[in-house]
Amino acid sequence: RRAPYPALLFHRAESTRMHLLLATDGSSGSLDAARQLATLTLPPGSRITVVTVADHAAAPGAWRGLTEACEIVAPTGATVTTDQRQGHAAEGLLEAIAHHHPDLAVVGTHGRSGIMRFLLGSVAEKVARHAHSPVLVARSRKGVAPSLK
């Protein structure tokens, strides 16, 4: 939870195509997660489903973030599709994961701690704890030592 860089431990045959689910809300943390996903070498035939979940008030920003996240991961060569949902972020993402059955879900985190995390909750933590697929929680690279960027 406090690692300054993403850690991905995943055992699969090298040639097996993958299905990844990328969660985005248009925030800098979720777009950083998309950038980190874009650095992975994916097997041919892989696909990425970019998911956004927003309540009615936040929907316009989330939809813009969905488009930006798709543009960020497009260079991976994977087939990119989208899934737009309305509702609470954590529950909507868990429903999307249950629906799509990805090999790996990727979510960003704002890196909040202490009282802010307690008050606002952590969507990434809820998804990581309750998803039935492996989850990569990609921490924003703000504040990461230059040698780790």
Side-chain angles (χ1 to χ4, degrees):
R1 187 165 88 185
R2 299 201 187 280
Y5 50 87
L8 177 62
L9 304 173
F10 200 68
H11 299 281
R12 291 186 58 86
E14 275 187 43
S15 63
T16 305
R17 64 183 147 215
M18 295 181 69
H19 178 204
L20 296 102
L21 183 142
L22 171 64
T24 185
D25 61 1
S27 68
S28 62
S30 69
L31 295 176
D32 282 346
R35 288 182 195 93
Q36 291 177 44
L37 172 57
T39 66
L40 299 178
T41 302
L42 302 177
S46 293
R47 59 193 172 108
I48 300 170
T49 302
V50 182
V51 178
T52 191
V53 182
D55 62 21
H56 184 68
W63 302 162
R64 282 190 299 277
L66 183 74
T67 301
E68 190 171 351
C70 288
E71 291 169 356
I72 291 168
V73 299
T76 63
T79 301
V80 180
T81 58
T82 62
D83 182 352
Q84 299 175 345
R85 296 171 179 253
Q86 286 195 324
H88 184 268
E91 285 78 14
L93 290 173
L94 289 168
E95 290 170 5
I97 291 168
H99 175 78
H100 292 286
H101 304 287
D103 297 306
L104 178 68
V106 179
V107 296
T109 182
H110 298 285
R112 291 186 187 104
S113 62
I115 192 69
M116 289 304 291
R117 188 165 154 262
F118 175 76
L119 293 173
L120 299 174
S122 170
V123 171
E125 184 173 348
K126 289 174 187 169
V127 170
R129 289 185 185 273
H130 299 287
H132 294 288
S133 294
V135 177
L136 170 64
V137 178
R139 187 173 183 185
S140 175
R141 291 181 177 241
K142 287 184 219 169
V144 174
S147 62
L148 297 176
K149 287 187 179 180

